[in-house]
Amino acid sequence: TCVFCILTVRRNLLDLSTEEKRRFVNALHQAKVTTHPDIVIATRRREEIFGPDGNTPQFENITIYNYFVWSHYYSVRKTFLGAGQQSFGGVDFSHEGPAFVTWHRYHLLQLERDMQNMLQDPTFGLPYWNFATGQNTCDICSDDLMGARSNFDISLISQNSIFSQWRVLCENVEDYETLGTICNSTEGGPIRRNPAGNVARPMVQRLPEPEDVAQCLEVGVFDTPPFYSNSTDSFRNTVEGYSDPSGKYDPAVRSLHNLAHLFLNGTGGQTHLSPNDPIFVLLHTFTDAVFDEWLRRYSADISTYPLENAPIGHNRQYNMVPFWPPVSNNEMFVTAPENLGYSYEVEWPGRALRVTEMITIAIVTALVLVAIIFAAAACIVRVKKNKDELHQPLLTDQYQHYSDDYDGIPTPSQSVV
C-alpha cells in the first residue's frame, strides 16, 4: 500500500547541474548493462515458443535499457505470415494513431520506474530535450551529455562519450521478417548519428521552431477520423509530426516529433531501432510534456479519445502491446502530476502573430493614430479660438461709436451718435 506520494520532476537536460548531468548519463549506462530483475523476453513466435522439442521455452534475460528498446521494436514489428510469404506491415501498435501519445507515455514511465528501482531513488526523473530550437545543430550532442560527433567518422559518436560503447539491438530486421524470428538480446553494431547530415532531404536538416510547439498546442481536438497518419486538425497527428504545426495534414510535411527523429539522421531516425540512441528518451519526454500540457489546457477527459474505429491497438480500451501487466490507453490519458506521479518544468513559447493578424493590428494601430492626431488638432484649434476670444475689444467695428466730433462740442446738450 502506498503511504505517501513522491512527485518526480522532469526537467530540461540543459538546466541540470554538472553533477546532475553526470549522474543521469551514468544512470543510463547502468541501465544498459544491468539485467532486468523482473522481465524476460520471448525470442520466438507463439507457435514456436516452446522450442523445437516442444519442451524448451524460448525466453532470454535482457537488460533494463535493452528491454526498453525491445518493447518498442515489438510494437512496430511486421507480422510473419509464413515461410516464403511477405510479412504484413500494416499493424503498428505505437505510431500513426491515437495511442502514439499514450503508448510512449507508458513506455517512458516504465523505464523511469525501472531506473528508480535500480538506483534505489524514488525521486529520479527522466529529463527532456527541448528540440524545438529551430537550429541546425544538436545542443545536447556533447561528450558530457549524449555524445559529440566522432572526429574519425561523422556518423559515429565520439570515443570520449560513454555512448560510443553502446551496441544496437534488433537490427536484423530482414531475418525477423523472412525467418519468422524475433529480436533477441544479441547486440550488433554501434549507434550511428549525424545530426542535420541528410543533405538529400533539406527539410530535415533543421529542428522544429519554438512557434511550432505553440501552434500545435492550439489544435483543440485530440484526434479526428480516420485516426491515422492522414488525420487533419488532430492534435495527436500534429505532435506526432505528420501534419503541419497548425494541424493541417500535408503528406510532404514532417514536423515536431517526426522531424526531431529524422534530424538525428541515423539509428534514431529508424523506427524499429530508434530507442537504441539514448536521445530517444529525451526526445519523447519532451513530446510527452507537450501532450500533458495539452491535456491540462483543454481539461480533456477520456471521452475525447476515440472509443472505436482507430487502428488496431489504438482504441480507447485496448491494451498496449507488449506491456505486462496489461495497461490500456485510457489509463494513460490523464494529467501526469495528479495521476501518474510526475510533472514537467517547462516554459512554453508564445505563438508568433500570423500575417493576417499583423495586418489587422497595423490597420487598427493606424486608425487609432489618425484618431489621436485628429483629436489633437481639434483640441489645438479649440484652444486657439478660445485664446483669441479673450483678447477681443469690448466694442468692435460691428457696434455704433460715439461721434468723433463729440469732444469738439463746447457744451453738448446730448451725445451725438
Side-chain angles (χ1 to χ4, degrees):
T1 303
C2 181
V3 178
F4 60 92
C5 176
I6 297 176
L7 185 66
T8 300
V9 180
R10 296 178 177 178
R11 299 162 55 204
N12 190 325
L13 178 64
L14 297 178
D15 291 339
L16 302 184
S17 67
T18 301
E19 175 58 25
E20 288 170 330
K21 292 173 182 175
R22 184 193 64 78
R23 184 169 178 265
F24 170 67
V25 169
N26 289 344
L28 275 180
H29 186 64
Q30 185 177 344
K32 177 72 172 175
V33 298
T34 300
T35 300
H36 201 296
D38 304 316
I39 292 177
V40 292
I41 60 169
T43 59
R44 303 294 296 186
R45 295 178 297 112
R46 178 177 58 85
E47 296 83 354
E48 303 170 345
I49 198 64
F50 291 107
D53 60 1
N55 198 36
T56 309
Q58 302 295 294
F59 294 94
E60 290 182 357
N61 287 324
I62 193 166
T63 69
I64 291 172
Y65 193 88
N66 280 354
Y67 174 65
F68 181 73
V69 175
W70 183 91
S71 56
H72 189 270
Y73 145 79
Y74 195 93
S75 75
V76 303
R77 74 185 185 96
K78 292 184 178 181
T79 304
F80 182 68
L81 300 179
Q85 299 185 59
Q86 186 175 2
S87 294
F88 179 66
V91 178
D92 186 332
F93 293 104
S94 56
H95 303 85
E96 300 184 72
F100 165 73
V101 287
T102 51
W103 193 97
H104 285 88
R105 163 166 280 196
Y106 186 75
H107 191 217
L108 292 167
L109 190 59
Q110 188 176 53
L111 175 66
E112 186 172 67
R113 290 173 177 172
D114 286 343
M115 293 181 70
Q116 288 171 348
N117 292 334
M118 176 190 73
L119 298 168
Q120 297 185 347
D121 179 5
T123 67
F124 172 81
L126 297 172
Y128 65 84
W129 171 39
N130 184 347
F131 53 73
T133 63
Q135 299 176 1
N136 60 0
T137 57
C138 173
D139 56 5
I140 60 171
C141 294
S142 56
D143 284 334
D144 63 322
L145 293 176
M146 309 315 292
R149 181 183 277 115
S150 169
N151 292 325
F152 306 101
D153 185 335
I154 61 172
S155 70
L156 293 177
I157 297 175
S158 165
Q159 291 296 312
N160 297 322
S161 167
I162 191 69
F163 299 118
S164 67
Q165 302 174 21
W166 282 30
R167 291 298 177 264
V168 171
L169 198 72
C170 303
E171 63 180 355
N172 298 318
V173 178
E174 291 186 6
D175 288 348
Y176 311 145
E177 295 177 2
T178 58
L179 302 178
T181 57
I182 297 176
C183 167
N184 56 32
S185 59
T186 303
E187 296 182 335
I191 296 170
R192 295 197 172 271
R193 186 198 304 154
N194 182 19
N198 191 345
V199 295
R201 297 184 69 183
M203 65 173 287
V204 302
Q205 290 185 296
R206 186 173 294 276
L207 288 164
E209 299 284 347
E211 181 187 349
D212 295 346
V213 175
Q215 283 187 284
C216 174
L217 285 169
E218 289 191 346
V219 181
V221 178
F222 174 67
D223 213 344
T224 58
F227 309 118
Y228 191 55
S229 57
N230 58 347
S231 293
T232 194
D233 296 323
S234 156
F235 164 76
R236 186 275 313 163
N237 207 36
T238 304
V239 73
E240 189 170 358
Y242 288 107
S243 292
D244 180 89
S246 67
K248 301 303 178 185
Y249 171 66
D250 183 342
V253 165
R254 291 295 180 269
S255 65
L256 294 168
H257 156 267
N258 283 347
L259 178 54
H261 271 297
L262 294 171
F263 172 84
L264 295 175
N265 188 34
T267 303
Q270 301 176 68
T271 306
H272 64 288
L273 294 178
S274 54
N276 281 288
D277 188 333
I279 289 182
F280 178 99
V281 176
L282 305 165
L283 187 160
H284 274 274
T285 42
F286 185 69
T287 303
D288 182 66
V290 177
F291 172 44
D292 202 62
E293 177 65 9
W294 185 90
L295 287 171
R296 186 192 65 79
R297 288 192 185 187
Y298 294 93
S299 301
D301 59 51
I302 194 60
S303 65
T304 62
Y305 192 108
L307 180 63
E308 55 188 6
N309 298 323
I312 185 171
H314 288 257
N315 286 330
R316 183 191 305 173
Q317 298 175 343
Y318 280 26
N319 290 330
M320 297 182 284
V321 176
F323 302 127
W324 185 265
V327 57
S328 60
N329 290 306
N330 61 297
E331 294 178 67
M332 293 293 107
F333 198 78
V334 290
T335 51
E338 296 81 9
N339 300 280
L340 301 176
Y342 67 89
S343 64
Y344 287 98
E345 284 186 359
V346 185
E347 185 175 341
W348 298 107
R351 180 178 62 80
L353 295 174
R354 299 187 179 94
V355 174
T356 54
E357 293 172 331
M358 289 189 287
I359 293 174
T360 301
I361 291 174
I363 292 173
V364 171
T365 302
L367 291 174
V368 171
L369 186 60
V370 169
I372 292 173
I373 293 173
F374 180 80
C379 184
I380 292 171
V381 169
R382 189 177 300 109
V383 170
K384 187 175 186 303
K385 180 179 179 182
N386 292 339
K387 185 176 180 182
D388 290 344
E389 289 178 353
L390 288 174
H391 290 83
Q392 287 292 338
L394 292 176
L395 295 175
T396 62
D397 291 340
Q398 62 181 318
Y399 298 101
Q400 295 174 319
H401 290 262
Y402 288 113
S403 172
D404 292 335
D405 298 330
Y406 175 75
D407 292 334
I409 300 175
T411 53
S413 60
Q414 62 182 19
S415 297
V416 177
V417 178

